[in-house]
Amino acid sequence: MKPDIKSQTLEELQAQLKTLNQPAYRARQVTEWLYPLRAVSWEAMTNLPRVLREKLAETFGLETLELVTKQGSRDTTQKFLWRLADGSMIESVLIPANPALYGEASDRHTLCVSTQVGCAYGCRFCASGLEGWKRNLLPHEIVEQVIAVERWNAEQPGPMSAERVINNLVIMGMGEPLANYDNLLKALKILNAPWGGGIGARKITISTSGLAPQIRKLADDPLQFRLAISLHGATDEVRNRIMPVNKKYPLRELAAACEYYQEKKSRMITLEYILIAGVNDALDQVKPLAELAKRLYAKVNLIPYNKVEDLPWERPVEEVQEAFASALTNRGVTATLRREKGHDIDAACGQLRLKTERKLAAAPV
Ligand code: SAH
Ligand code: SF4
């Protein structure tokens, strides 16, 4: 199979074009077509000689994502379900920084991207892992989620369309990002590069369920990505119940890896904590959670659980959520209780894909 052109760094493209006896400026012309101009075909690249376009088409793929469905309205959270070249489906979610409470459009957006088809980690509460792991995404399939949403936005009527919409990336869609380490890092380098996506590394947050060795590896990478840990339990007892990964990398090991990251990057860690009724919302979790947050200089994001069809878990009532949040704050921890966005459109990872696949499976052929 041909490598895709959006999996190539500028340096790789330059080297390839050199073998084709092209002048040095050609690689930049190509990246200009791919990123700011978001071209979907070789024919569109009109300032490249026709023979070169043909040569590029022989050497590289130029895949784009096919939009299967989109949920949500322009000013709120919008969820995109994409079909990849092999027919697999993945999701990306576009979240406005300030939901348009007063009817004004928000111009700052975060895009949540997927890194795998399915997930092998099987956290008990999560829709992404329900049907197992299918495959890793290739770098261009991660990059193209950003480009495809920008392309979609540019096609919409209205003032927002002229400008780019995505200024923040969270790697919190389907899949465990650090289990697809090399492809993810390559994609993020392309998305971060000034010739590519142009998104600052500090505006990119990678979320992991706790792969300790890969956290250490990421700490040694020169780029300053932010790190979010899906903690969801502050003791091994609670984490073991809901996250099988904790058996492999128990809290002691995870915390040590996070400490290493914190030392290298300083104050770049967030602890994510979904509140699930009767599972991890008792106040006895607060003390160990606060201790860990302080040790890592981390803030805590509390997220009320998003109900998943077929799973028994529920979110606690609001009083319980608030009591948990204030108990943390009282211990001197910076904690936010997320009034989560997109609850109504299945924004939690993996849910839209699961529903669509089930619908397709049930549909008469
Ligand atoms: N695999 C990575 C990134 C993808 S999951 C990770 O686990 O961190 C992104 C976040 O969504 C994680 O914090 C995950 O625990 C959370 N999540 C999964 N299912 C959820 C649900 N039903 N409600 C709320 N958050 C959920
Ligand atoms: Fe995978 Fe993250 Fe879902 Fe766990 S929470 S199953 S690691 S996607």
Side-chain angles (χ1 to χ4, degrees), residues 130-324:
L130 270 182
E131 307 209 326
W133 176 85
K134 193 163 164 198
R135 69 171 174 89
N136 281 334
L137 294 189
L138 293 165
H140 72 276
E141 294 170 320
I142 300 172
V143 170
E144 175 60 14
Q145 292 174 60
V146 175
I147 309 302
V149 170
E150 292 287 5
R151 196 182 289 127
W152 169 86
N153 177 67
E155 286 162 3
Q156 306 307 303
M160 239 166 75
S161 307
E163 315 220 351
R164 288 177 35 171
V165 278
I166 302 162
N167 358 54
N168 279 284
L169 274 189
V170 292
I171 317 303
M172 295 189 184
M174 193 190 304
E176 168 48 55
L178 297 188
N180 186 13
Y181 191 94
D182 292 344
N183 290 345
L184 172 71
L185 266 276
K186 188 156 195 202
L188 292 184
K189 277 171 189 157
I190 294 169
L191 287 168
N192 168 248
W195 52 262
I199 303 172
R202 286 167 177 274
K203 307 246 162 181
I204 300 177
T205 303
I206 302 173
S207 176
T208 177
S209 58
L211 274 55
Q214 283 86 342
I215 291 172
R216 289 178 184 270
K217 198 166 160 193
L218 189 67
D220 292 331
D221 189 279
L223 282 176
Q224 298 275 345
F225 299 120
R226 290 180 187 277
L227 185 65
I229 305 295
S230 294
L231 198 67
H232 312 331
T235 55
D236 282 324
E237 197 217 330
V238 171
R239 253 177 82 86
N240 283 341
R241 266 181 75 193
I242 53 178
M243 302 180 75
V245 67
N246 197 67
K247 303 227 166 85
K248 194 155 183 205
Y249 304 116
L251 271 172
R252 244 174 69 100
E253 225 171 295
L254 173 59
C258 290
E259 194 162 44
Y260 182 70
Y261 196 90
Q262 145 64 21
E263 278 161 11
K264 286 246 161 158
K265 310 283 185 196
S266 95
R267 292 179 197 260
M268 300 273 278
I269 296 185
T270 306
L271 301 177
E272 305 277 329
Y273 198 101
I274 323 175
L275 289 164
I276 311 176
V279 173
N280 64 0
D281 60 345
L283 292 178
D284 63 0
Q285 289 293 299
V286 171
K287 186 165 176 260
L289 178 55
E291 278 165 6
L292 185 60
K294 284 186 188 164
R295 174 175 160 198
L296 301 174
Y297 302 93
K299 62 176 183 221
V300 177
N301 263 348
L302 297 171
I303 307 140
Y305 181 64
N306 238 321
K307 179 88 186 130
V308 176
E309 216 175 292
D310 293 352
L311 294 181
W313 320 96
E314 302 280 348
R315 63 172 53 180
V317 295
E318 272 181 33
E319 295 79 73
V320 172
Q321 300 172 20
E322 264 143 32
F324 197 96

Side-chain angles (χ1 to χ4, degrees), residues 2 6 43 66 103 117 119 132 178 228 236 239 290 333 338 349:
K2 291 185 279 191
K6 280 204 260 348
E43 294 78 65
E66 181 199 337
V117 182
C119 183
L178 297 188
D236 282 324
R239 253 177 82 86
V333 174
R338 201 192 294 169
C349 64

